[in-house]
Amino acid sequence: MAEAKKPGLKVHQLGWALVFAVVYADIGTSVFYVPGILYNSIGGLATLAQFITTGVFISIALKYVEICQRCPDGGGVVSITREAFSRWEFLPLVGGAFITVDYFLTSAISGVSGLYYLSSLMPETKNLVISVSMVLFLVLVLINIVGIKESASVTSTFALTKILVALVLFGTALYVITVWPSLNWSGLWHSILHPGVPLTFNSIAVGYATTWLAYSGLESVAQISGAMKEPVQKTASKAMWWVIITITLFSAPLTGVLLYILPENIKQTQSDSLLSALGFAVGGPILGVAVVLTASTLLFMACNTAIVGNYHVNVRLSDLGFLPSFLRKRHPKMGTPYLSILISGLVPMAIIFITKANVDILGDLYNFGLLGTLSLSSLAIDKLRWRDGMRGIRFWSGVFTTVALLAAWVINMVHKPDALLFGGTLAAILVAVGLYHRIGASKKAVVQFAEAETTVADLPEAANILTLEEAQEASAMECSTLIVALTYVNERLLKDAAIYAKGMKQKNIYVVYVDEMPALFLPQEVKPTPAAVKVLVESCAALEKQGLSGIPIWRMAEDAGYSIAEAANGLNVRSVLVGSSKRTFFWRMLRGRTLKNLAERLPETSDLIVVG
């Protein structure tokens, strides 16, 4: 999902502070609506359940740092799943379906919550939330189609404002607990440890699963890794530790304080805007209004961020061949994927209308996509760590995190069947449509790639190189039993290949370069890339200095491994040499799908030799 970067962010310009601001502006907004949803769902257990969840939250947050490191071009769950489970091509689609469901609910609940906070200033407007939300989403859709871009600096300003307001609110609330005769610290601790709900295994498990709503927004850090300053791992790590510290300090403690201070009638009647109720209660109109304006602004920004994230996921899945190509169709004047943007706005509008803008119902539906996304991302990291030979405490703590997330997901589905019905049905539809389209697109792509290699034979760019068909036709006069696969002029690999060829008494070596098109669609001009021409021509020149003739072959394919194997089959070669330099694609393929695909498709009589 490399396209899923925040619009307007240049590559590698975001330092840790701006990354923190962007992520916190997303995940931190949950503090405005989570306390009310949790209170209506699990009562006074809300605070204790959040504390219990904090440890797992910290662990998965640090796993997302690793996702940024492994997928520095962005993409989140789609990219990391594709890297970890390359042989199971449907899993990136499943991850995309989960995050799509999550984005739909994020935008719906954020937009509605922002309006409820505004209505707390004018209670008589509360019954207009549904109609106003329709207008809000239409405006956001129009803004995104026009292409007004988000700004990380603007986001950071609002995130900083939110932190300052939260600090003042929290500090004022603690002062009130200290000085008001009816409140005291022992009462606060008693309300947290003795929540008035039986502390049974079932109640704690349900509370644990429900509180994950407080940590939505984690995926956003993996979407902007392509915009982070290098080294990406360092930038992401520092930013996420600040997110962890801030969320840990504010999320559960603020829930505990407001549930203790606010009277029962307020908690029941104003559950959709409890923070503003706390602001008015402990700080008067000034603090109350400050909370309302901060909350509504950030929630509207989070709503827009979810729309942006959603349409970029749709475009990425379309690029991967899982969704119809019209989703990436650009507006002729604005240059934005307007159809995908429209869908990303209309579905949340329908959800709001169906649920009648009920925040509790939206919250119940929310966790399915969120926990599905987090679980799949966590599992992908475990798989990659295992593949890399990690068996220490870091690996096993990661496995525990995955198990804990899967447990929360299962508990949530059992406890809230409506969430399973909604999220599961929507995800199943997306996966079914994606697989159907993928099968058709794959068949079409095979034909297109074959036609591409045929049609470029007479182009000027192909004057000094051969297609596979041309190489097969020429094999009666000039052939070899050896193929060298390259993505750059690898002198060490070419030297080793020359030594090997001379030992086999060969005068020629096939040199193959594959222009990969992982998006399953051809560019408007089908021809060898400048890199392909350069690598093939210069590599053959290098072989000539070794006293050998290089036979340059250009290929275009979705998967380089399959393409090289097909060439080896078609040319009846006995040996395929590839390099393992860390500077090239072939080093990554040692750990990924390409080498496996190449090895699986080679004929039994051919050897695969990795030179490193």
Side-chain angles (χ1 to χ4, degrees), residues 339-356:
L339 294 175
S340 186
I341 293 171
L342 192 61
I343 293 172
S344 300
L346 290 178
V347 174
M349 290 170 66
I351 293 172
I352 293 170
F353 185 79
I354 293 170
T355 60
K356 298 180 181 179

Side-chain angles (χ1 to χ4, degrees), residues 482-498 509-516 529 531-543 550-555 560-561 563-564 567 576-581 583-587 589 594 598 608-609 611:
L482 175 65
I483 277 183
V484 177
L486 295 166
T487 54
Y488 78 110
V489 183
N490 189 334
E491 294 183 359
R492 178 181 175 184
L493 175 59
L494 292 170
K495 186 178 294 185
D496 288 347
I509 296 178
Y510 289 120
V511 181
V512 63
Y513 184 104
V514 181
D515 270 326
E516 269 199 316
T529 61
V533 176
K534 179 178 184 294
V535 169
L536 289 172
V537 172
E538 292 184 8
S539 296
C540 288
L543 286 175
I551 302 175
I553 300 173
W554 171 79
R555 304 221 66 199
S563 181
I564 296 167
V576 178
L577 273 70
V578 299
S580 64
S581 169
R583 293 176 295 170
T584 73
F585 171 78
F586 285 102
W587 174 76
M589 102 177 170
T594 304
L598 173 57
L608 176 61
I609 303 171
V611 179

Side-chain angles (χ1 to χ4, degrees), residues 316-384:
R316 180 57 173 164
L317 288 174
S318 178
D319 285 347
L320 292 174
F322 284 119
L323 293 180
S325 58
F326 73 79
L327 288 174
R328 62 175 180 262
K329 184 178 181 181
R330 300 278 172 171
H331 192 280
K333 292 185 179 180
M334 306 304 176
T336 52
Y338 64 101
L339 294 175
S340 186
I341 293 171
L342 192 61
I343 293 172
S344 300
L346 290 178
V347 174
M349 290 170 66
I351 293 172
I352 293 170
F353 185 79
I354 293 170
T355 60
K356 298 180 181 179
N358 188 306
V359 176
D360 292 329
I361 296 176
L362 291 171
D364 287 344
L365 300 177
Y366 199 161
N367 272 350
F368 178 86
L370 170 65
L371 288 169
T373 301
L374 297 181
S375 298
L376 191 55
S377 297
S378 183
L379 183 63
I381 289 295
D382 293 338
K383 173 69 162 53
L384 292 171

Side-chain angles (χ1 to χ4, degrees), residues 26-285:
D26 195 355
I27 190 173
T29 54
S30 61
V31 74
F32 293 117
Y33 52 80
V34 165
I37 293 175
L38 294 182
Y39 180 77
N40 289 337
S41 177
I42 56 178
L45 183 59
T47 307
L48 188 59
Q50 280 186 267
F51 277 121
I52 293 172
T53 313
T54 300
V56 184
F57 158 70
I58 293 173
S59 182
I60 186 60
L62 295 179
K63 273 191 166 183
Y64 265 91
V65 173
E66 190 168 340
I67 291 175
C68 293
Q69 179 186 5
R70 291 180 180 270
C71 302
D73 292 327
V77 63
V78 174
S79 294
I80 197 65
T81 304
R82 189 165 188 254
E83 182 177 345
F85 303 103
S86 56
R87 297 183 66 179
W88 298 354
E89 290 194 345
F90 71 95
L91 277 182
L93 175 61
V94 173
F98 287 155
I99 194 61
T100 296
V101 173
D102 186 26
Y103 277 139
F104 283 149
L105 271 302
T106 296
S107 54
I109 199 170
S110 297
V112 166
S113 296
L115 292 173
Y116 277 129
Y117 267 91
L118 282 179
S119 69
S120 66
L121 296 178
M122 299 174 288
E124 65 277 5
T125 64
K126 194 170 184 178
N127 59 346
L128 298 176
V129 166
I130 296 178
S131 56
V132 175
S133 67
M134 300 295 114
V135 176
L136 170 67
F137 274 87
L138 289 175
V139 170
L140 291 177
V141 165
L142 181 61
I143 287 174
N144 282 283
I145 290 176
V146 170
I148 296 177
K149 299 176 180 179
E150 294 174 305
S151 167
S153 57
V154 172
T155 302
S156 66
T157 300
F158 281 108
L160 180 61
T161 303
K162 188 262 180 183
I163 293 173
L164 293 175
V165 171
L167 273 172
V168 173
L169 179 64
F170 192 47
T172 305
L174 295 180
Y175 174 76
V176 164
I177 292 174
T178 304
V179 300
W180 282 11
S182 58
L183 303 174
N184 55 72
W185 287 97
S186 61
L188 173 62
W189 297 122
H190 185 272
S191 68
I192 295 173
L193 299 176
H194 302 279
V197 177
L199 296 180
T200 63
F201 175 81
N202 183 64
S203 65
I204 292 176
V206 171
Y208 162 73
T210 305
T211 52
W212 276 100
L213 184 65
Y215 307 113
S216 61
L218 269 175
E219 178 76 7
S220 60
V221 69
Q223 302 296 334
I224 61 171
S225 58
M228 295 180 188
K229 284 186 178 179
E230 295 180 331
V232 170
Q233 191 273 341
K234 184 177 180 180
T235 301
S237 178
K238 195 168 184 179
M240 287 307 292
W241 270 114
W242 277 103
V243 170
I244 289 168
I245 291 169
T246 310
I247 294 295
T248 302
L249 287 177
F250 285 133
S251 188
L254 200 52
T255 299
V257 167
L258 70 84
L259 291 182
Y260 174 59
I261 292 177
L262 294 177
E264 196 65 29
N265 66 312
I266 296 294
K267 289 185 284 189
Q268 291 181 357
T269 59
Q270 299 183 38
S271 60
D272 42 36
S273 55
L274 286 180
L275 254 68
S276 63
L278 179 66
F280 282 111
V282 302

